[in-house]
Structures are given as structure tokens and as C-alpha cells.
Amino acid sequence: MDSVLAYKQMPPDVIRPIMQLIDWLLWCVLLFCLAWMILAAGRLWYAFRDDLAANDATHGVVMSLLGAIMATSASGIALALLPT
């Protein structure tokens, strides 16, 4: 039995640039998260070296990891929703 779709499928010449844009955006976000992680890890090392207990360096490390997880999840969901 044929199923009727409520939307038209996009042609591959439209989907291909969208997927490439998603890939480039993912790389940019992951590069930003990596740079933020390096800076936060340096601040964390400096804080532990000077025995400062209260700092937001751990917050930066956690937020960088969460940002990378969210970016990879969002791109995976977007690529799964786009018809191939």
C-alpha cells in the first residue's frame, strides 16, 4: 500500500547544501567548545595551583562539554529529519 506524504520531498540538489551547512556549523561550534574548554581548563589549573576554592572554571568546563553534546545531538537530529 502506498503512503501519502503531507509534504513534498526536497530534491537532492537542495538537501546537499543544507547538509553541508549543518556540517560546517557543527565544526564551528565544536571548535568554539574546544577553545572554551582549553581556556576553562587553564583557569581551573591556575585556580587549583593557587588554592582558590571558589571559582567558575569548573562551570566553564561543564558548559563546554554540554554545548558540544547539544551541538552533536542537534546536528544528528537535523540530519535524521532531512530526507536523503
Side-chain angles (χ1 to χ4, degrees):
M1 203 163 157
D2 290 330
S3 63
V4 178
L5 298 176
Y7 63 92
K8 289 177 99 176
Q9 296 261 342
M10 289 189 284
D13 58 336
V14 174
I15 293 175
R16 198 173 309 118
I18 292 173
M19 292 177 75
Q20 186 176 9
L21 178 67
I22 290 172
D23 287 341
W24 279 103
L25 286 174
L26 176 64
W27 275 104
C28 290
V29 168
L30 291 178
L31 186 63
F32 179 75
C33 286
L34 179 64
W36 193 264
M37 173 69 82
I38 292 170
L39 288 173
R43 287 177 32 204
L44 184 64
W45 174 78
Y46 186 72
F48 281 139
R49 192 180 68 135
D50 288 341
D51 269 347
L52 297 176
N55 66 353
D56 62 342
T58 55
H59 183 266
V61 170
V62 170
M63 288 299 119
S64 176
L65 288 174
L66 286 176
I69 290 169
M70 288 176 56
T72 54
S73 299
S75 69
I77 291 170
L79 291 175
L81 291 178
L82 284 175
T84 55

